[in-house]
């Protein structure tokens, strides 16, 4: 028996009410989540004004030079360095920050690229009263960001550590094996972050890393809807950042350490890159060659392969990062030590 028009109208109205209730519940869930994030996970360090916008900066320890950490294309901001910053701070000043739009920092008013990141980081440091000389430490895409900082503020940079860094030519070098892709699901998730969908999925999307505290993992998930939006914007600007990075490859005699992750790609990583294990070996060989080239950008460099570490070396093998940073710090101190009469 077919339902009457009145019954059909009632069913449609009930469905609309159900959808409205689900959407409203999601919106409330997201708003409450934002409130709880601010309450449960206040920013470490301090918020620095850089012209009407605030950037989170956390500095520890004392001494010269000051080590400045730059995260890669990730959502964890300054917490990307939680497993190494304290160990470095036991020997010298060490600062980590969250780029605009990540974690506690206000979003930028411009599209992110190497020059923009460099300018905003410099403003953050100077306005916070942190001055060079700086040793810059950059992970992944952050490696190109610290190269840009060196290009624009080179007088203040005395050494660098590049942690499994990006390379200006990486896209074309691996084009025959894999193509860069940006998930449509990620775009949909970011577009509907207001509905609470990203917050609900955060525990699955962002598992706790090795040598990462549970509290840090929870904080990263709490700010995930905001940070993932910024990560997507940075990802969309990657080609511009890579193109810009081609213009500067001369670090002179600044001490440089390049760390390369050489652990075989996991099944999940291969699936994400849509390549076979054999192709994975080829990509890794190209990655090693690109890092060998990076090491030639300074006349005083060291290239270290880490056979048991994945891309996030600062979590997989934090001591390797600490050793590399302290080796550069000690070289800088030796360079600046007055000669004996």
């Amino acid at each position: 028996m077919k339902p009457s028009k009145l019954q059909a109208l009632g069913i449609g109205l009930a469905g609309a009410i159900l959808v409205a209730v689900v959407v409203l519940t999601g919106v409330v869930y997201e708003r409450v989540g934002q409130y709880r994030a601010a309450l449960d996970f206040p920013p470490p360090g301090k918020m620095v004004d850089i012209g009407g916008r605030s950037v989170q900066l956390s500095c520890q320890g004392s001494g010269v030079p000051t080590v400045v950490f730059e995260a890669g294309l990730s959502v964890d901001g300054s917490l990307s360095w939680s497993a190494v910053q304290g160990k470095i701070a036991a020997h010298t000043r060490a600062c980590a920050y969250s780029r605009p739009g990540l974690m506690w920092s206000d979003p930028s008013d411009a599209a992110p690229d190497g020059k923009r990141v460099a300018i905003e980081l410099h403003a953050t440091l100077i306005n916070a009263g942190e001055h060079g000389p700086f040793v810059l430490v950059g992970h992944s895409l952050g490696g190109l960001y610290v190269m840009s900082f060196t290009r624009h503020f080179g007088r203040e940079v005395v050494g660098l550590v590049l942690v499994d860094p990006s390379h200006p030519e990486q896209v074309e070098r691996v084009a025959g094996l894999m193509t860069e892709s940006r998930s449509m699901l990620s775009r949909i998730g970011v577009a509907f972050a207001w509905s609470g969908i990203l917050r609900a999925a955060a525990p699955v999307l962002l598992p706790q890393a090795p040598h990462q505290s549970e509290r840090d993992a929870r904080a990263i998930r709490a700010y995930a809807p905001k940070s993932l939006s910024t990560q997507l914007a940075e990802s969309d600007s990657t080609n511009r950042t890579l193109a810009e990075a081609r213009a500067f490859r001369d670090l002179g005699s600044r001490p440089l350490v390049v760390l390369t992750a050489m652990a075989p790609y996991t099944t999940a990583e291969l699936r994400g890159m849509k390549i076979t294990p054999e192709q994975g070996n080829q990509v890794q060989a190209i990655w090693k060659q690109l890092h060998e080239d990076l090491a030639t950008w300074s006349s005083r460099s060291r290239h270290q392969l880490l056979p048991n570490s994945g891309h996030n070396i600062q979590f997989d093998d934090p001591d390797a990062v600490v050793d590399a940073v302290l080796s550069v710090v000690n070289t800088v101190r030796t360079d600046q030590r007055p000669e004996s009469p």
Side-chain angles (χ1 to χ4, degrees):
M1 180 177 178
K2 293 183 179 180
S4 66
K5 290 184 178 181
L6 187 60
Q7 289 175 319
L9 181 62
I11 293 172
L13 181 60
I17 292 173
L18 179 61
V19 170
V21 169
V22 171
V23 170
L24 181 60
T25 300
V27 170
V28 172
Y29 171 69
E30 175 59 26
R31 291 293 180 86
V32 171
Q34 293 174 9
Y35 172 78
R36 292 297 310 179
L39 190 65
D40 295 340
F41 305 104
K46 58 185 176 182
M47 302 300 295
V48 182
D49 183 88
I50 59 169
R53 292 180 293 113
S54 295
V55 173
Q56 178 262 335
L57 175 71
S58 174
C59 294
Q60 304 171 19
S62 61
V64 176
T66 296
V67 174
V68 178
F69 294 98
E70 181 71 81
L73 186 61
S74 62
V75 298
D76 39 6
S78 65
L79 298 184
S80 180
W81 302 102
S82 60
V84 303
Q85 184 181 6
K87 294 180 180 180
I88 299 299
H91 300 271
T92 196
R93 187 75 166 162
C95 297
Y97 83 118
S98 299
R99 285 193 298 275
L102 295 178
M103 298 298 291
W104 303 274
S105 297
D106 293 336
S108 177
D109 55 1
D113 57 26
K115 182 177 181 180
R116 170 60 58 178
V117 170
I119 290 172
E120 291 177 332
L121 171 55
H122 189 260
T124 300
L125 292 169
I126 297 305
N127 290 359
E130 302 292 338
H131 300 280
F134 297 124
V135 169
L136 305 180
V137 184
H139 171 244
S140 193
L141 188 62
L144 297 187
Y145 288 156
V146 298
M147 285 295 298
S148 181
F149 188 102
T150 305
R151 178 185 181 186
H152 295 287
F153 305 102
R155 291 183 178 180
E156 301 171 56
V157 180
V158 291
L160 298 93
V161 176
L162 305 180
V163 183
D164 214 37
S166 298
H167 187 284
E169 299 168 7
Q170 65 188 39
V171 174
E172 54 262 43
R173 289 290 299 275
V174 301
L177 297 168
M178 58 181 289
T179 57
E180 186 180 13
S181 62
R182 299 182 178 100
S183 171
M184 182 56 67
L185 286 177
S186 297
R187 295 186 185 281
I188 293 173
V190 167
F192 286 91
W194 54 266
S195 71
I197 187 172
L198 280 182
R199 188 171 300 280
V204 176
L205 296 174
L206 302 169
Q208 184 175 344
H211 300 98
Q212 182 182 61
S213 71
E214 181 181 354
R215 177 178 174 78
D216 281 357
R218 289 173 53 220
I220 292 164
R221 294 168 192 155
Y223 286 92
K226 171 187 174 184
S227 298
L228 284 166
S229 177
T230 297
Q231 183 190 44
L232 181 60
E234 289 190 352
S235 178
D236 286 342
S237 296
T238 297
N239 289 341
R240 184 165 64 251
T241 300
L242 293 173
E244 178 189 287
R246 293 175 184 272
F248 180 73
R249 307 187 186 203
D250 185 4
L251 293 173
S253 62
R254 295 180 181 89
L256 165 69
V257 177
V258 179
L259 300 177
T260 302
M262 291 298 293
Y265 293 128
T266 65
T267 301
E269 288 171 334
L270 292 170
R271 188 185 307 116
M273 292 185 285
K274 300 179 181 178
I275 57 176
T276 66
E278 292 74 19
Q279 290 173 322
N281 292 334
Q282 292 177 274
V283 169
Q284 227 171 15
I286 293 171
W287 196 241
K288 176 175 174 287
Q289 293 168 2
L290 291 172
H291 285 184
E292 289 171 349
D293 177 62
L294 280 166
T296 68
W297 295 1
S298 169
S299 62
R300 288 194 297 172
S301 68
R302 174 166 62 89
H303 181 203
Q304 182 177 351
L305 304 179
L306 300 172
N308 299 316
S309 179
H311 181 55
N312 293 315
I313 299 173
Q314 70 273 27
F315 286 121
D316 288 351
D317 192 354
D319 287 342
V321 177
V322 171
D323 291 344
V325 173
L326 292 182
S327 73
V328 171
V329 167
N330 290 332
T331 299
V332 169
R333 287 175 173 171
T334 299
D335 290 346
Q336 296 177 344
R337 187 177 301 148
E339 294 184 5
S340 301

